[in-house]
């Protein structure tokens, strides 16, 4: 049952499965860590968002996470809520977001992960969504409101299409549950760093580092460990990597950067995004 | 005993479940365990009964609305007077139960969402009475429209947080309450106001509200000597309806859930989720939703703020799928008409929400005939709606 047994056609046929895993393990083999950058499709607008994605890739993200905006994003803080709201009010749709992914895939082989809420997938249909996503070059999928307990069908469909279904765990997830989730999460396991929603934070509590150490110990190399939510600074990145993370996810910091630059020219804004990506990527290289 | 057995593993058929960020899973398990334990505890039951009787004013009466029945020219209509409860609505049945549970769990802080303010006020009252710290999330638009209710909650000692995100209404208030809970998951109790959300809320809120149906059954047996022929309740999230229907699920009594038809289903400006919606996932549950073709949640409309919600309790979705309850809708016009009729004929001003149920009961009364009896749950009183109706009549007479 491995590989794409579906009727899905399209350009991704030449691309083998496990692109995320291969990318992460390649970095880990060189003693490097990964930077995963998150952007909202349709933010700041339908056209510029593609340039933002390319600037992040140019700046050095190892994996690009594309947020498909949903009207009711309960796992997100004010920054991503606002960006999603703007994107939707300017006409972004799941289909357009996947078209954008296809454009990016056309000029880069950086693994692409779609992040959205379960209703978007449920409404379009799991099978249809997976097939559309794969055709657009999407390698993995994150659904923050689809828990392990409800995910049987989605796991099956994602597997059939050779797409990694990436699960989240939290600091309060029990060891027993963590073990079950780690054994089904493909690509990487996503540890939510804090009690809270997405959004930049000044500092992290010791419980975050404890959680990283605990999860790292429990997964025993089964799957790479990514940590995200609230991370925006080089010192955050360093602290999380030191505690045992294999990859760091940064999202709101990019959106805030774009928001702050709205008076600037597009070129300057994109340069800012590229620069921020570069700096964060450098932090993942330091030993 | 078949339908009353649900949920099974947190699901009503395929509906319900737990579609939430992972951080909430331990909290929902803790809540479920605490509730299942409390449910079997005599002392907890005694506490709930005590507050429902001495604080909220239960049991509520079943009133034979003779004049209205005559006007409807059909079945005898009986009103379950939840409007006479403390606070003026059925909401207190649930907030008392959950606030006692929060206390039992040792949670010091309670949060809740509110649309028009009814559940927020009922939560603030229960928290004041039981000495709990209380914060209410309310959409900025709703807070503007219901300024008096904001002040009422503040008077009762609650902090009201205005939600500026999204459509700034009830669904956004629920989103924000969930985000607060994710952030303060250890210290905080989320007191949800309807039979919606992730398991165990739909079951637990139904259980706390099911006192309505139990009383109706008992009162019918003593007043009529038999069960009623039909029972009618309005459905927004659906807590008063679920509380009304539950006792009758395994009987032969006809059950009707009345949704808000707004300006008419064809106008797309309504809140008739079960009548016109489609399946999806929102606020932690798989249920019927009003959504567009991409799965984005739509704005809804009803003259009754308490029905203005794009989702519905998963047990209602289940009862629709097995065709045990018939779900219908009544428009703003029909609800206002019933609102005025009940005031004129019986001297009772109902809330606009149950006015929808009343409108439907009057509509089907002739079909049932004189010998039949129909019970309508009058889930709240209409003081809060007097201004809205005044304005509505004024606009209509200008337009006419």
């Amino acid at each position: 049952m491995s590989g794409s047994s579906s009727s899905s056609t399209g350009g991704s046929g030449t691309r083998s499965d496990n692109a995320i895993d291969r990318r992460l393990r390649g970095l880990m083999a060189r003693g490097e860590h990964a930077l995963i950058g998150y952007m909202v499709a349709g933010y700041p607008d339908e056209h510029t968002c593609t340039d933002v994605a390319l600037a992040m890739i140019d700046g050095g993200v190892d994996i690009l996470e594309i947020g498909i905006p949903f009207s009711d994003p309960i796992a997100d803080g004010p920054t991503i809520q606002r960006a999603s709201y703007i994107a939707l009010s300017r006409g972004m749709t799941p289909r357009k977001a996947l078209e954008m992914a296809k454009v990016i895939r056309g000029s880069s082989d950086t693994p692409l992960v779609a992040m959205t809420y379960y209703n978007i997938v449920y409404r379009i249909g799991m099978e249809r969504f997976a097939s559309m996503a794969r055709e657009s070059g999407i390698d993995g999928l994150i659904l923050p409101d689809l828990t392990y307990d409800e995910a049987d069908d989605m796991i099956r469909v994602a597997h059939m299409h050779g797409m990694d279904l990436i699960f989240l765990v939290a600091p309060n997830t029990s060891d027993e549950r963590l073990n079950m989730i780690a054994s089904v999460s493909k690509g990487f396991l996503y540890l939510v760093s804090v009690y809270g929603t997405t959004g930049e934070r000044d500092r992290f509590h010791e419980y975050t580092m404890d959680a990283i150490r605990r999860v790292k110990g429990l997964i025993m190399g089964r799957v790479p460990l990514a940590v995200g939510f609230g991370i925006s600074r080089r010192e955050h990145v360093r602290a999380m990597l030191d505690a045992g993370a294999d990859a760091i996810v940064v999202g709101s910091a990019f959106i805030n950067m774009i928001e702050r630059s709205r008076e600037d020219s597009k070129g300057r804004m994109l340069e800012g995004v590229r620069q921020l990506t570069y700096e964060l990527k450098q932090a993942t290289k330091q030993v | 005993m078949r339908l009353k057995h649900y949920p099974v593993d947190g699901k009503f058929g395929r509906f319900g479940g737990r579609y939430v960020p992972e951080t909430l899973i331990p909290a929902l398990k803790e809540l479920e365990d605490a509730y299942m334990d409390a449910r079997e505890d005599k002392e907890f039951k005694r506490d709930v009964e005590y507050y429902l009787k001495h604080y909220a004013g239960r049991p509520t009466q079943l009133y034979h609305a003779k004049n209205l029945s005559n006007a409807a020219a059909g079945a005898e209509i009986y009103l379950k007077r939840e409007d006479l409860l403390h606070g003026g609505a059925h909401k207190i049945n649930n907030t008392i139960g959950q606030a006692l549970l929060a206390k039992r769990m040792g949670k010091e802080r309670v949060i809740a969402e509110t649309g028009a303010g009814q559940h927020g006020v009922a939560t603030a009252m229960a928290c004041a009475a039981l000495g709990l710290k209380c914060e209410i999330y309310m959409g900025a638009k709703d807070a503007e429209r219901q300024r008096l209710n904001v002040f009422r909650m503040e008077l009762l000692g609650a902090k009201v947080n205005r939600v500026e995100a999204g459509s700034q209404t009830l669904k956004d208030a629920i989103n924000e309450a969930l985000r607060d809970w994710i952030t303060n998951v250890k210290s905080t109790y989320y007191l949800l106001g309807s039979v919606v959300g992730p398991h165990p809320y739909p079951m637990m809120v139904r259980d706390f509200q099911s006192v309505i149906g139990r009383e109706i059954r008992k009162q019918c047996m003593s007043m009529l000597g038999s069960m009623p022929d039909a029972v009618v309740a309005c459905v927004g999230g659906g807590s008063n309806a679920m509380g009304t229907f539950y006792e009758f699920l395994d009987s032969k009594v006809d059950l009707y859930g009345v949704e808000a038809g707004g300006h008419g289903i064809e106008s797309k400006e309504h809140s008739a989720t079960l009548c016109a919606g489609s399946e999806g996932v929102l606020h932690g549950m798989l249920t019927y939703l009003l959504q567009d073709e991409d799965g984005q949640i739509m704005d809804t409309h009803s003259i009754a703020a308490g029905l203005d919600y794009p989702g519905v309790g998963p047990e209602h979705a289940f009862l629709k799928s097995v065709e045990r309850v018939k779900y219908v809708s009544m428009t703003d016009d029909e609800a206002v008409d019933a609102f005025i009729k009940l005031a004129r004929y019986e001297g009772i001003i109902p809330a606009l929400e149950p006015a929808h149920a009343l409108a439907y009961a009057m509509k089907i009364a002739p079909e049932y005939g004189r010998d039949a009896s129909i019970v309508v749950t009058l889930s709240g009183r209409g003081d809060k709606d007097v201004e809205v109706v005044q304005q509505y009549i004024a606009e209509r007479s200008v337009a006419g």
Side-chain angles (χ1 to χ4, degrees):
Chain A
M1 274 292 285
S2 72
S4 176
S5 61
S6 78
S7 60
S8 110
T9 51
S12 64
T14 53
R15 216 178 138 74
S16 64
D17 299 343
N18 311 319
I20 297 167
D21 198 65
R22 273 188 293 111
R23 175 67 58 108
L24 291 176
R25 292 198 191 273
L27 287 166
M28 286 153 76
R30 295 203 302 271
E32 257 186 61
H33 302 283
L35 174 67
I36 302 173
Y38 169 92
M39 44 108 35
V40 173
Y43 182 79
D45 60 58
E46 201 179 318
H47 301 291
T48 314
C49 70
T50 309
D51 299 324
V52 169
L54 294 173
M56 286 164 78
I57 290 171
D58 195 32
V61 289
D62 298 295
I63 294 171
L64 183 72
E65 196 183 321
I66 300 170
I68 302 176
F70 175 53
S71 53
D72 295 79
I74 54 169
D76 287 304
T79 302
I80 294 176
Q81 282 176 51
R82 213 161 41 236
S84 301
Y85 186 79
I86 290 170
L88 287 173
S89 59
R90 292 179 181 169
M92 185 44 50
T93 66
R95 283 165 188 81
K96 284 185 189 171
L98 293 177
E99 279 164 29
M100 186 204 92
K102 204 168 188 170
V103 171
I104 296 163
R105 169 59 65 241
S107 62
S108 162
D109 64 353
T110 301
L112 302 179
V113 172
M115 185 275 177
T116 190
Y117 287 81
Y118 187 46
N119 196 49
I120 297 291
V121 177
Y122 190 87
R123 178 67 167 157
I124 292 170
M126 275 180 248
E127 186 65 40
R128 204 154 141 235
F129 182 90
S131 142
M132 280 163 55
R134 282 303 273 157
E135 271 181 44
S136 305
I138 296 286
D139 300 293
L141 177 63
I142 303 174
L143 299 168
D145 59 344
L146 181 66
T147 54
Y148 169 82
D149 319 81
E150 310 284 358
D152 287 355
D153 290 342
M154 194 67 236
I155 289 173
R156 188 178 46 75
V157 170
H159 181 74
M160 226 162 68
H161 288 267
M163 183 166 64
D164 291 336
L165 187 60
I166 296 154
F167 282 87
L168 293 97
V169 293
N172 60 347
T173 306
S174 70
D175 287 0
E176 189 196 354
R177 193 171 163 86
L178 228 147
N179 260 316
M180 296 191 301
I181 298 172
S183 61
V184 296
S185 193
K186 301 288 177 205
F188 56 89
L189 181 69
Y190 191 146
L191 170 64
V192 174
S193 63
V194 292
Y195 293 108
T197 51
T198 59
E200 285 189 55
R201 281 161 173 80
D202 288 334
R203 59 189 192 88
F204 288 85
H205 295 279
E206 195 49 37
Y207 79 77
T208 296
M209 306 309 151
D210 291 341
I212 295 170
R213 284 187 282 267
R214 180 171 68 96
V215 175
K216 181 75 173 178
L218 279 164
I219 58 181
M220 293 187 294
R222 272 176 287 180
V223 63
L225 174 62
V227 181
F229 279 40
I231 305 167
S232 62
R233 299 180 193 168
R234 300 173 61 128
E235 63 266 28
H236 299 157
V237 173
R238 277 320 313 164
M240 310 254 172
L241 294 176
D242 288 345
D246 301 310
I248 301 296
V249 188
V250 177
S252 296
F254 289 113
I255 290 162
N256 284 331
M257 159 76 70
I258 297 167
E259 201 170 274
R260 275 197 305 272
S261 316
R262 60 175 182 266
E263 305 289 309
D264 298 342
S265 70
K266 185 171 150 185
R268 276 191 68 174
M269 181 270 283
L270 293 173
E271 181 49 33
V273 169
R274 204 192 64 82
Q275 187 60 34
L276 176 61
T277 313
Y278 179 79
E279 279 167 23
L280 292 167
K281 179 57 207 170
Q282 288 307 110
T284 68
K285 285 180 176 167
Q286 289 166 15
V287 182
Chain B
M1 257 321 275
R2 216 161 43 92
L3 290 176
K4 284 178 87 171
H5 263 125
Y6 288 89
V8 176
D9 292 333
K11 297 243 167 115
F12 304 92
R14 65 181 177 280
F15 301 103
R18 269 179 192 156
Y19 297 87
V20 291
E22 188 62 32
T23 312
L24 290 183
I25 292 291
L28 289 167
K29 287 208 166 125
E30 181 194 1
L31 175 62
E32 183 183 8
D33 290 346
Y35 173 63
M36 295 317 268
D37 187 59
R39 194 156 87 156
E40 301 306 319
D41 179 6
K42 281 192 187 122
E43 202 180 324
F44 180 76
K45 273 195 216 166
R46 214 169 36 231
D47 284 348
V48 172
E49 276 165 25
Y50 175 86
Y51 279 95
L52 286 183
K53 181 178 176 189
H54 296 278
Y55 184 71
R58 298 212 75 90
T60 60
Q61 298 305 305
L62 188 67
Y63 174 70
H64 185 188
K66 286 185 188 145
N67 303 332
L68 191 79
S69 304
N70 281 335
E76 297 302 321
I77 296 172
Y78 293 81
L79 306 176
K80 178 59 175 167
R81 298 291 308 274
E82 296 295 295
D83 60 315
L84 295 177
L85 285 172
H86 178 46
H90 71 290
K91 292 290 183 189
I92 191 91
N93 300 329
N94 171 45
T95 60
I96 283 291
Q98 286 201 58
L100 282 166
L101 182 61
K103 231 179 142 78
R104 197 171 189 270
M105 291 171 73
K107 305 282 178 183
E108 64 246 26
R109 177 173 177 265
V110 169
I111 56 169
E113 82 294 342
T114 198
Q118 295 303 110
H119 174 58
V121 168
T123 303
M125 290 186 316
C127 287
L130 295 171
L132 290 157
K133 222 169 91 185
C134 176
E135 280 186 46
I136 306 292
Y137 287 93
M138 188 173 192
K141 243 184 227 168
D142 288 336
E144 184 54 35
R145 285 189 287 209
Q146 300 283 344
R147 263 174 292 183
L148 267 182
N149 267 344
V150 174
F151 183 58
R152 206 166 275 149
M153 287 182 263
E154 286 167 352
L155 267 180
L156 294 161
K159 181 176 174 228
V160 180
N161 301 311
R162 288 165 180 75
V163 180
E164 309 281 349
S167 61
Q168 308 188 340
T169 58
L170 175 59
K171 82 173 172 73
D172 309 285
I174 297 178
N175 291 340
E176 208 51 41
L178 285 168
R179 290 182 189 118
D180 180 312
W181 200 24
I182 291 168
T183 307
N184 303 294
V185 66
K186 283 182 189 155
S187 65
T188 295
Y189 184 96
Y190 181 17
L191 205 160
L192 238 171
S194 191
V195 288
V196 300
H199 180 66
Y201 285 106
M203 168 184 78
M204 182 169 68
V205 177
R206 172 200 73 195
D207 289 350
F208 285 132
Q209 291 293 358
S210 63
V211 63
I212 302 173
R214 282 199 304 275
E215 285 179 10
I216 292 174
R217 184 177 187 144
K218 227 158 114 190
Q219 289 162 329
C220 281
M221 293 314 284
S222 74
M223 286 171 76
L224 310 170
S226 69
M227 298 271 262
D229 295 282
V231 172
V232 187
C234 62
V235 179
S239 70
N240 92 79
M242 228 25 261
T244 300
F245 296 159
Y246 186 64
E247 182 67 17
F248 298 102
L249 287 184
D250 294 314
S251 77
K252 291 218 155 68
V253 175
D254 295 342
L255 303 174
Y256 298 96
V258 186
E259 296 191 304
H263 298 140
I265 303 282
E266 61 294 334
S267 74
K268 308 244 169 172
E269 292 174 352
H270 60 80
S271 308
T273 312
L274 289 163
C275 293
S278 52
E279 282 182 36
V281 173
L282 178 71
H283 295 150
M285 58 181 166
L286 174 59
T287 186
Y288 274 77
L289 303 175
L290 292 172
Q291 57 183 332
D292 70 13
E293 57 181 21
D294 292 327
Q296 309 295 355
I297 307 307
M298 299 198 308
D299 285 344
T300 54
H301 164 79
S302 170
I303 190 166
L307 303 182
D308 203 349
Y309 177 61
V312 67
E315 193 164 10
H316 286 295
F318 171 64
L319 293 171
K320 175 191 160 81
S321 73
V322 297
E323 297 181 358
R324 174 62 187 95
V325 179
K326 190 174 175 197
Y327 293 93
V328 297
S329 70
M330 288 277 114
T331 63
D332 288 355
D333 285 351
E334 290 166 316
V336 170
D337 188 52
F339 176 99
I340 293 167
K341 281 197 173 121
L342 191 66
R344 297 266 169 87
Y345 292 130
E346 301 289 354
I348 298 170
I349 299 178
L352 277 168
E353 290 81 4
H356 288 73
L358 207 56
Y360 189 73
M362 290 170 72
K363 187 178 165 183
I364 58 171
E367 296 163 29
Y368 273 89
R370 294 271 180 189
D371 297 334
S373 53
I374 299 175
V375 174
V376 178
T377 296
L378 203 62
S379 58
R381 67 174 183 228
D383 304 43
K384 70 181 177 62
D385 297 319
V386 168
E387 212 180 327
V388 173
V389 171
Q390 186 185 35
Q391 208 174 352
Y392 184 88
I393 293 169
E395 280 167 17
R396 201 158 53 163
S397 59
V398 168

